[in-house]
Amino acid sequence: MTTISEKVSEKLTRPVSKRVSQSVFDGSRLRVVLLVDVFDGAQQEFLEAYEQLCNQVAQVPGHVSDQLCQSIENPSQWLITSEWESAPPFLAWVNSEEHVEMVKPLHNCVRDTRSLRFQVVRETGGPAVDAVRVLQEEPRMGDGVIRHALTFTVRPGSEAQVAKILADYASPEAKVDDSTRLCRTSLFMHGNRVVRAIEVRGDLMVALRHVARQPEVRAVEEAINPYLEQDRDLDDQDSARVFFTRAALPAVHHVSGVEELAEGDRHALYYPARPGCGMRLAELLAQQDEAAAEDPASAVLHSTVFQRDDVVVRLVEQRPGTPVDAVPAHALTALLDGDAVRMKLLTDRRSPDA
């Protein structure tokens, strides 16, 4: 059987440009760390839910192993670690409806969770000989910014009302705490699909929770509720959790070009992928942007590719005044289920001291 990671990368050890600060496509091993805070008295229920989840995850292509650990200082704190052949099979699973159903038994016994994902750069010990344990070739030099996006659809016919609501809201407080700050938020729309791209310095989950508590943002979320294709109740923790889990659109690749400009023109391009082709499409777009980043004549200053299932969005920062080319390369056309399109920018807000 061909695994997801084999489908994504024909050559797992393909060199990655030094201009790439984020990528899931180098084929290296992935270590996932899940910090769990269990309700008092719910330990047995948690363990039963974990055993069920563990048995199901073991059947997922690309999964290698996992461990369950309990804190020696606080018995309510648990740590679940898992190892995966590479990032793509994990992302395909964690962003699936199958995963949403798998983790439901945990919700009643867990107070809080935090998920961290790391590609393996160095390791000692372990198997003396293991040819398939691919490591990340070099550490990446990032810019300290975490990039994430959310996407959802609204009911056909409501696009104009939703666009007005999303374009007019007041900005939330940018400073979250001493170590976390909102840097930039951009909202785009095409047809009835909305994409909200977020840039954060510090802790992404802390920032997202901060934003959700802001009255300006809460008012906007309540205003668009009647127009959403997927119903949600923000006062119901489970309903809100499932909605935002399905809305998550992770960044799978980010690259910066030769020229370092502080500002450029920001555009979002939407690529509707054929069923099952989203990850491969995202990888080819990433390779295309890596090549552009090495070309001093390229108009692209920065590019981030976001992907979940068959939704692929490319956020591009270009030299001011340069045209945007939405026509995909020939190699991509077989993976598309319709034309690539430029999304309409609704609002682009940057923190003054981002």
Short mmCIF file of all heavy atoms in Angstrom, two decimals, residues 15-53:
data_model
loop_
_atom_site.label_atom_id
_atom_site.label_comp_id
_atom_site.label_asym_id
_atom_site.label_seq_id
_atom_site.Cartn_x
_atom_site.Cartn_y
_atom_site.Cartn_z
N PRO A 15 16.27 18.57 -1.22
CA PRO A 15 16.80 19.74 -0.53
C PRO A 15 15.78 20.88 -0.53
O PRO A 15 15.07 21.10 -1.49
CB PRO A 15 18.04 20.11 -1.37
CG PRO A 15 18.41 18.86 -2.09
CD PRO A 15 17.11 18.15 -2.36
N VAL A 16 15.74 21.59 0.58
CA VAL A 16 14.83 22.72 0.73
C VAL A 16 15.63 24.01 0.73
O VAL A 16 16.68 24.09 1.35
CB VAL A 16 14.00 22.60 2.03
CG1 VAL A 16 13.09 23.81 2.22
CG2 VAL A 16 13.17 21.33 2.00
N SER A 17 15.14 25.02 0.03
CA SER A 17 15.81 26.32 -0.03
C SER A 17 16.03 26.87 1.37
O SER A 17 15.19 26.72 2.26
CB SER A 17 14.96 27.29 -0.85
OG SER A 17 15.39 28.63 -0.63
N LYS A 18 17.17 27.53 1.57
CA LYS A 18 17.44 28.15 2.87
C LYS A 18 16.53 29.33 3.13
O LYS A 18 16.49 29.86 4.24
CB LYS A 18 18.91 28.56 2.94
CG LYS A 18 19.88 27.38 2.96
CD LYS A 18 21.30 27.83 3.18
CE LYS A 18 22.26 26.65 3.15
NZ LYS A 18 21.98 25.69 4.24
N ARG A 19 15.79 29.77 2.13
CA ARG A 19 14.82 30.86 2.32
C ARG A 19 13.50 30.35 2.89
O ARG A 19 12.64 31.14 3.24
CB ARG A 19 14.59 31.58 1.00
CG ARG A 19 15.86 32.15 0.42
CD ARG A 19 15.61 33.04 -0.80
NE ARG A 19 16.89 33.49 -1.30
CZ ARG A 19 17.59 34.49 -0.78
NH1 ARG A 19 17.12 35.13 0.26
NH2 ARG A 19 18.76 34.84 -1.29
N VAL A 20 13.34 29.05 2.96
CA VAL A 20 12.12 28.46 3.52
C VAL A 20 12.21 28.46 5.04
O VAL A 20 13.15 27.92 5.61
CB VAL A 20 11.92 27.02 3.00
CG1 VAL A 20 10.75 26.36 3.70
CG2 VAL A 20 11.71 27.02 1.50
N SER A 21 11.25 29.08 5.70
CA SER A 21 11.25 29.09 7.17
C SER A 21 10.25 28.12 7.75
O SER A 21 10.28 27.83 8.94
CB SER A 21 10.96 30.51 7.70
OG SER A 21 9.70 30.97 7.25
N GLN A 22 9.37 27.59 6.91
CA GLN A 22 8.37 26.62 7.39
C GLN A 22 8.00 25.70 6.25
O GLN A 22 7.73 26.15 5.13
CB GLN A 22 7.12 27.35 7.89
CG GLN A 22 6.02 26.42 8.37
CD GLN A 22 4.78 27.16 8.82
OE1 GLN A 22 4.74 28.39 8.79
NE2 GLN A 22 3.76 26.45 9.24
N SER A 23 8.01 24.39 6.49
CA SER A 23 7.59 23.45 5.45
C SER A 23 7.30 22.09 6.07
O SER A 23 7.99 21.65 7.00
CB SER A 23 8.68 23.29 4.38
OG SER A 23 8.24 22.41 3.36
N VAL A 24 6.28 21.42 5.56
CA VAL A 24 5.98 20.04 5.99
C VAL A 24 6.40 19.04 4.92
O VAL A 24 6.12 17.85 5.06
CB VAL A 24 4.47 19.87 6.28
CG1 VAL A 24 3.99 20.91 7.29
CG2 VAL A 24 3.62 19.95 5.00
N PHE A 25 7.12 19.50 3.90
CA PHE A 25 7.33 18.67 2.72
C PHE A 25 8.73 18.10 2.57
O PHE A 25 9.11 17.66 1.50
CB PHE A 25 6.99 19.47 1.46
CG PHE A 25 5.56 19.89 1.38
CD1 PHE A 25 5.21 21.23 1.26
CD2 PHE A 25 4.54 18.96 1.43
CE1 PHE A 25 3.88 21.63 1.19
CE2 PHE A 25 3.20 19.34 1.37
CZ PHE A 25 2.88 20.68 1.25
N ASP A 26 9.57 18.09 3.63
CA ASP A 26 10.91 17.56 3.46
C ASP A 26 11.02 16.09 3.83
O ASP A 26 12.09 15.50 3.77
CB ASP A 26 11.93 18.39 4.23
CG ASP A 26 11.72 18.34 5.73
OD1 ASP A 26 10.79 17.62 6.17
OD2 ASP A 26 12.48 18.99 6.46
N GLY A 27 9.91 15.47 4.23
CA GLY A 27 9.91 14.04 4.49
C GLY A 27 10.48 13.62 5.82
O GLY A 27 10.58 12.43 6.11
N SER A 28 10.86 14.57 6.70
CA SER A 28 11.48 14.20 7.97
C SER A 28 10.44 13.72 8.97
O SER A 28 9.25 14.03 8.87
CB SER A 28 12.25 15.40 8.54
OG SER A 28 11.39 16.49 8.76
N ARG A 29 10.92 12.96 9.95
CA ARG A 29 10.05 12.44 11.00
C ARG A 29 9.37 13.58 11.76
O ARG A 29 9.95 14.66 11.93
CB ARG A 29 10.86 11.60 11.98
CG ARG A 29 11.27 10.25 11.42
CD ARG A 29 10.17 9.23 11.64
NE ARG A 29 10.42 8.02 10.89
CZ ARG A 29 10.19 6.80 11.37
NH1 ARG A 29 9.73 6.65 12.58
NH2 ARG A 29 10.40 5.75 10.63
N LEU A 30 8.16 13.32 12.23
CA LEU A 30 7.40 14.30 12.97
C LEU A 30 7.14 13.80 14.38
O LEU A 30 6.74 12.65 14.57
CB LEU A 30 6.06 14.58 12.28
CG LEU A 30 5.18 15.64 12.95
CD1 LEU A 30 5.74 17.04 12.71
CD2 LEU A 30 3.75 15.56 12.45
N ARG A 31 7.38 14.66 15.35
CA ARG A 31 7.05 14.37 16.74
C ARG A 31 5.93 15.30 17.17
O ARG A 31 6.04 16.51 17.07
CB ARG A 31 8.27 14.57 17.64
CG ARG A 31 7.99 14.42 19.13
CD ARG A 31 7.76 12.97 19.50
NE ARG A 31 8.95 12.14 19.30
CZ ARG A 31 8.99 10.84 19.55
NH1 ARG A 31 7.91 10.22 20.01
NH2 ARG A 31 10.09 10.15 19.34
N VAL A 32 4.82 14.72 17.62
CA VAL A 32 3.66 15.49 18.07
C VAL A 32 3.55 15.36 19.58
O VAL A 32 3.60 14.25 20.12
CB VAL A 32 2.36 15.01 17.39
CG1 VAL A 32 1.17 15.83 17.87
CG2 VAL A 32 2.50 15.11 15.87
N VAL A 33 3.41 16.49 20.25
CA VAL A 33 3.31 16.54 21.71
C VAL A 33 1.96 17.13 22.07
O VAL A 33 1.63 18.24 21.65
CB VAL A 33 4.44 17.38 22.32
CG1 VAL A 33 4.29 17.46 23.84
CG2 VAL A 33 5.80 16.81 21.94
N LEU A 34 1.17 16.40 22.83
CA LEU A 34 -0.15 16.87 23.26
C LEU A 34 -0.15 16.97 24.79
O LEU A 34 -0.02 15.97 25.49
CB LEU A 34 -1.25 15.92 22.80
CG LEU A 34 -2.69 16.33 23.12
CD1 LEU A 34 -3.06 17.61 22.38
CD2 LEU A 34 -3.67 15.22 22.78
N LEU A 35 -0.25 18.20 25.30
CA LEU A 35 -0.34 18.44 26.74
C LEU A 35 -1.81 18.43 27.12
O LEU A 35 -2.63 19.13 26.52
CB LEU A 35 0.29 19.79 27.08
CG LEU A 35 1.75 19.98 26.66
CD1 LEU A 35 2.19 21.41 26.90
CD2 LEU A 35 2.64 19.01 27.40
N VAL A 36 -2.16 17.64 28.13
CA VAL A 36 -3.56 17.43 28.50
C VAL A 36 -3.75 17.72 29.98
O VAL A 36 -2.99 17.23 30.82
CB VAL A 36 -3.99 15.98 28.20
CG1 VAL A 36 -5.46 15.78 28.55
CG2 VAL A 36 -3.73 15.63 26.74
N ASP A 37 -4.77 18.50 30.30
CA ASP A 37 -5.15 18.77 31.69
C ASP A 37 -6.50 18.11 31.93
O ASP A 37 -7.52 18.51 31.36
CB ASP A 37 -5.23 20.28 31.92
CG ASP A 37 -5.46 20.65 33.37
OD1 ASP A 37 -5.37 19.74 34.22
OD2 ASP A 37 -5.73 21.82 33.67
N VAL A 38 -6.51 17.05 32.77
CA VAL A 38 -7.69 16.23 32.98
C VAL A 38 -8.48 16.74 34.19
O VAL A 38 -7.89 17.13 35.21
CB VAL A 38 -7.30 14.75 33.19
CG1 VAL A 38 -8.51 13.89 33.49
CG2 VAL A 38 -6.57 14.23 31.95
N PHE A 39 -9.81 16.74 34.08
CA PHE A 39 -10.65 17.13 35.21
C PHE A 39 -10.39 16.23 36.42
O PHE A 39 -10.13 15.03 36.27
CB PHE A 39 -12.13 17.04 34.83
CG PHE A 39 -12.61 18.13 33.91
CD1 PHE A 39 -13.19 17.82 32.69
CD2 PHE A 39 -12.50 19.47 34.28
CE1 PHE A 39 -13.65 18.82 31.85
CE2 PHE A 39 -12.95 20.48 33.43
CZ PHE A 39 -13.52 20.16 32.22
N ASP A 40 -10.49 16.81 37.61
CA ASP A 40 -10.38 16.01 38.84
C ASP A 40 -11.45 14.93 38.85
O ASP A 40 -12.62 15.19 38.56
CB ASP A 40 -10.54 16.91 40.06
CG ASP A 40 -9.45 17.96 40.17
OD1 ASP A 40 -8.39 17.75 39.54
OD2 ASP A 40 -9.66 18.98 40.86
N GLY A 41 -11.04 13.71 39.17
CA GLY A 41 -11.98 12.60 39.24
C GLY A 41 -12.29 11.95 37.91
O GLY A 41 -13.07 11.00 37.86
N ALA A 42 -11.68 12.46 36.82
CA ALA A 42 -11.99 11.92 35.48
C ALA A 42 -10.84 11.10 34.91
O ALA A 42 -10.81 10.83 33.71
CB ALA A 42 -12.34 13.07 34.53
N GLN A 43 -9.90 10.69 35.77
CA GLN A 43 -8.73 9.99 35.28
C GLN A 43 -9.08 8.67 34.58
O GLN A 43 -8.54 8.36 33.51
CB GLN A 43 -7.76 9.71 36.46
CG GLN A 43 -7.34 10.94 37.25
CD GLN A 43 -6.28 11.76 36.53
OE1 GLN A 43 -6.26 11.80 35.31
NE2 GLN A 43 -5.41 12.40 37.28
N GLN A 44 -9.97 7.88 35.19
CA GLN A 44 -10.31 6.59 34.60
C GLN A 44 -11.02 6.76 33.27
O GLN A 44 -10.75 6.05 32.30
CB GLN A 44 -11.19 5.78 35.57
CG GLN A 44 -11.43 4.35 35.10
CD GLN A 44 -10.14 3.55 34.93
OE1 GLN A 44 -9.21 3.69 35.73
NE2 GLN A 44 -10.08 2.74 33.87
N GLU A 45 -11.93 7.73 33.21
CA GLU A 45 -12.63 8.01 31.95
C GLU A 45 -11.63 8.44 30.88
O GLU A 45 -11.74 8.04 29.71
CB GLU A 45 -13.67 9.10 32.18
CG GLU A 45 -14.50 9.43 30.94
CD GLU A 45 -15.51 10.55 31.19
OE1 GLU A 45 -15.59 11.02 32.35
OE2 GLU A 45 -16.18 10.95 30.23
N PHE A 46 -10.65 9.25 31.27
CA PHE A 46 -9.62 9.69 30.34
C PHE A 46 -8.81 8.51 29.82
O PHE A 46 -8.54 8.39 28.62
CB PHE A 46 -8.70 10.71 31.01
CG PHE A 46 -7.44 11.00 30.26
CD1 PHE A 46 -7.46 11.71 29.06
CD2 PHE A 46 -6.21 10.52 30.74
CE1 PHE A 46 -6.29 11.96 28.36
CE2 PHE A 46 -5.04 10.77 30.04
CZ PHE A 46 -5.08 11.49 28.85
N LEU A 47 -8.40 7.62 30.72
CA LEU A 47 -7.61 6.47 30.31
C LEU A 47 -8.37 5.55 29.35
O LEU A 47 -7.82 5.04 28.38
CB LEU A 47 -7.16 5.68 31.54
CG LEU A 47 -6.09 6.35 32.41
CD1 LEU A 47 -5.87 5.57 33.69
CD2 LEU A 47 -4.79 6.49 31.63
N GLU A 48 -9.66 5.37 29.61
CA GLU A 48 -10.47 4.53 28.72
C GLU A 48 -10.60 5.19 27.35
O GLU A 48 -10.53 4.51 26.32
CB GLU A 48 -11.85 4.31 29.35
CG GLU A 48 -11.80 3.42 30.60
CD GLU A 48 -13.13 3.37 31.33
OE1 GLU A 48 -14.08 4.03 30.87
OE2 GLU A 48 -13.22 2.66 32.36
N ALA A 49 -10.79 6.52 27.33
CA ALA A 49 -10.90 7.23 26.06
C ALA A 49 -9.58 7.17 25.30
O ALA A 49 -9.55 7.00 24.08
CB ALA A 49 -11.31 8.68 26.30
N TYR A 50 -8.46 7.28 26.05
CA TYR A 50 -7.15 7.22 25.40
C TYR A 50 -6.91 5.84 24.78
O TYR A 50 -6.40 5.73 23.66
CB TYR A 50 -6.04 7.52 26.41
CG TYR A 50 -4.66 7.20 25.85
CD1 TYR A 50 -4.06 8.05 24.93
CD2 TYR A 50 -4.01 6.01 26.20
CE1 TYR A 50 -2.82 7.74 24.39
CE2 TYR A 50 -2.77 5.70 25.67
CZ TYR A 50 -2.18 6.56 24.77
OH TYR A 50 -0.97 6.24 24.22
N GLU A 51 -7.25 4.77 25.50
CA GLU A 51 -7.04 3.43 24.96
C GLU A 51 -7.81 3.23 23.67
O GLU A 51 -7.31 2.64 22.71
CB GLU A 51 -7.47 2.39 26.00
CG GLU A 51 -6.52 2.25 27.18
CD GLU A 51 -5.13 1.80 26.76
OE1 GLU A 51 -5.02 1.05 25.76
OE2 GLU A 51 -4.15 2.20 27.42
N GLN A 52 -9.03 3.72 23.64
CA GLN A 52 -9.84 3.61 22.43
C GLN A 52 -9.20 4.41 21.29
O GLN A 52 -9.08 3.92 20.15
CB GLN A 52 -11.26 4.12 22.70
CG GLN A 52 -12.17 4.05 21.48
CD GLN A 52 -13.57 4.57 21.79
OE1 GLN A 52 -13.93 4.82 22.94
NE2 GLN A 52 -14.38 4.76 20.76
N LEU A 53 -8.79 5.64 21.60
CA LEU A 53 -8.17 6.49 20.59
C LEU A 53 -6.85 5.90 20.12
O LEU A 53 -6.55 5.89 18.91
CB LEU A 53 -7.95 7.89 21.18
CG LEU A 53 -7.29 8.94 20.28
CD1 LEU A 53 -8.15 9.20 19.06
CD2 LEU A 53 -7.04 10.23 21.05
#
